């Protein structure tokens, strides 16, 4: 059974800093990995999708990497802003089922 | 912009009522999903559908049913609402291209916060 873990569970950093969120998964037989953000009381917004054959994806200040063999992904956020405050979830797709991580609650301090 | 639309943001229903949660997507996706999200439990899959009139049970289907009469619409039905079904409900859709071996990302709706009193 796939298990997805995100560390840390919560993170607070001053505005302007670069930061890294971590995601690890136990079964490397995945189709893809997706990073989402969720604001309080809202739905999930997709940030980046990495297919299993890819190593990384970039969108603006965000960069996500995937190392399938070690079961790890990182989400790098450059020059953090208060608007980046949210919960970040990673999810892996395998055997037609999406398994979510436990999430990292990020707070950017102005 | 592609969208998954959930008909209600907030809903309050009484115990025993039959409740319909509607979800519509405009991306021509074949796959649609219903999740519930609770603090400390994360997202749990209730039901999913890979095609019109098709449905499959997820991890927690008890007390729920679904309907997919058209490709773009996937409805979640609470046959007799109970207080333990108070939750945030999230609908999602996705697409697959088997010929290319590609599974595309999931797109989620904005959620329905259901309170059963």
């Amino acid at each position: 059974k796939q298990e997805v873990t995100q560390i840390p569970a919560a993170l607070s950093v001053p505005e302007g800093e670069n930061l890294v969120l971590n995601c690890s998964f136990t079964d490397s037989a995945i189709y893809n990995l997706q990073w989402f953000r969720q604001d309080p009381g809202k739905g999930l917004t997709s940030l980046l999708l990495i297919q299993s054959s890819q190593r990384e994806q970039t969108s603006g200040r965000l960069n996500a990497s995937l190392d399938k063999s070690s079961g790890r992904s990182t989400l790098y956020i450059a020059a953090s802003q208060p608007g980046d405050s949210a919960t970040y979830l990673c999810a892996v797709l395998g055997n037609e089922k999406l398994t979510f991580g436990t999430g990292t609650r990020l707070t950017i301090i102005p | 912009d592609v969208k998954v639309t959930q008909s209600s943001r907030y809903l309050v229903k009484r115990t025993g009522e039959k409740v319909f949660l509607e979800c519509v997507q405009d991306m021509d996706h074949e796959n649609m999903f219903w999740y519930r999200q609770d603090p400390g439990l994360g997202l749990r899959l209730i039901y999913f559908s890979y095609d019109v009139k098709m449905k499959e049970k997820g991890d927690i289907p008890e007390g729920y049913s679904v309907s997919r009469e058209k490709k773009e619409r996937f409805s979640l039905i609470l046959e007799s609402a109970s207080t333990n079904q108070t939750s945030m409900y999230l609908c999602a859709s996705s697409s697959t291209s088997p010929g290319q071996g590609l599974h595309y990302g999931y797109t989620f709706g904005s959620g329905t916060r259901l309170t059963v009193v």
Side-chain angles (χ1 to χ4, degrees), chain A residues 13-89:
Chain A
V13 300
E15 180 179 359
E17 283 199 5
N18 303 325
L19 61 99
V20 174
L21 305 181
N22 297 294
C23 172
S24 61
F25 48 96
T26 54
D27 185 351
S28 62
I30 64 170
Y31 294 113
N32 60 46
L33 183 144
Q34 197 167 0
W35 282 94
F36 297 91
R37 74 172 274 168
Q38 186 176 31
D39 295 291
K42 301 286 180 64
L44 276 65
T45 299
S46 180
L47 298 173
L48 289 165
L49 172 72
I50 310 177
Q51 298 291 346
S52 62
S53 58
Q54 298 174 324
R55 297 284 293 186
E56 66 176 348
Q57 283 288 332
T58 298
S59 176
R61 296 183 293 110
L62 306 180
N63 176 277
S65 68
L66 174 64
D67 184 342
K68 211 171 65 162
S69 61
S70 67
R72 293 184 181 185
S73 176
T74 62
L75 178 66
Y76 174 83
I77 302 177
S80 59
Q81 302 171 358
D84 295 330
S85 296
T87 295
Y88 290 79
L89 294 161

Side-chain angles (χ1 to χ4, degrees), chain A residues 31-32 34 36 38 41-44 46 49 51 89 93 95-98 100, chain B residues 9 35 37 43 45 50 59 88 90 102-106 108-111 113:
Chain A
Y31 294 113
N32 60 46
Q34 197 167 0
F36 297 91
Q38 186 176 31
K42 301 286 180 64
L44 276 65
S46 180
L49 172 72
Q51 298 291 346
L89 294 161
L93 181 65
N95 291 327
E96 307 304 328
K97 182 180 176 180
L98 193 66
F100 287 88
Chain B
R9 286 297 312 278
Y35 291 86
Q37 186 178 31
L43 282 95
L45 181 63
Y50 288 149
D59 299 319
M88 168 70 94
L90 294 164
L102 285 176
H103 294 72
Y104 298 103
Y106 282 40
F108 279 81
S110 54
R113 170 72 65 183

Side-chain angles (χ1 to χ4, degrees), chain B:
Chain B
D1 201 10
V2 295
K3 270 190 177 176
V4 175
T5 302
Q6 295 184 230
S7 53
S8 305
R9 286 297 312 278
Y10 300 96
L11 215 50
V12 180
K13 296 292 182 181
R14 295 197 177 276
T15 302
E17 277 193 75
K18 190 169 187 176
V19 181
F20 293 86
L21 302 183
E22 305 288 347
C23 176
V24 178
Q25 51 96 2
D26 64 0
M27 297 164 282
D28 200 35
H29 284 173
E30 59 271 23
N31 310 319
M32 296 189 74
F33 308 85
W34 275 106
Y35 291 86
R36 64 177 283 177
Q37 186 178 31
D38 301 286
L41 296 176
L43 282 95
R44 292 179 291 169
L45 181 63
I46 304 171
Y47 266 98
F48 59 100
S49 169
Y50 288 149
D51 202 352
V52 176
K53 297 193 184 296
M54 238 209 69
K55 60 184 179 183
E56 297 283 347
K57 293 180 180 179
D59 299 319
I60 52 163
E62 296 79 19
Y64 303 94
S65 62
V66 290
S67 172
R68 192 167 181 200
E69 296 297 317
K70 294 185 178 181
K71 189 176 185 179
E72 67 270 20
R73 185 180 296 270
F74 193 35
S75 303
L76 180 68
I77 304 157
L78 287 66
E79 297 290 343
S80 177
S82 64
T83 54
N84 63 13
Q85 293 179 309
T86 292
S87 186
M88 168 70 94
Y89 289 86
L90 294 164
C91 175
S93 71
S94 76
S95 183
T96 306
S97 179
Q100 299 178 32
L102 285 176
H103 294 72
Y104 298 103
Y106 282 40
T107 301
F108 279 81
S110 54
T112 295
R113 170 72 65 183
L114 173 68
T115 302
V116 182
V117 297

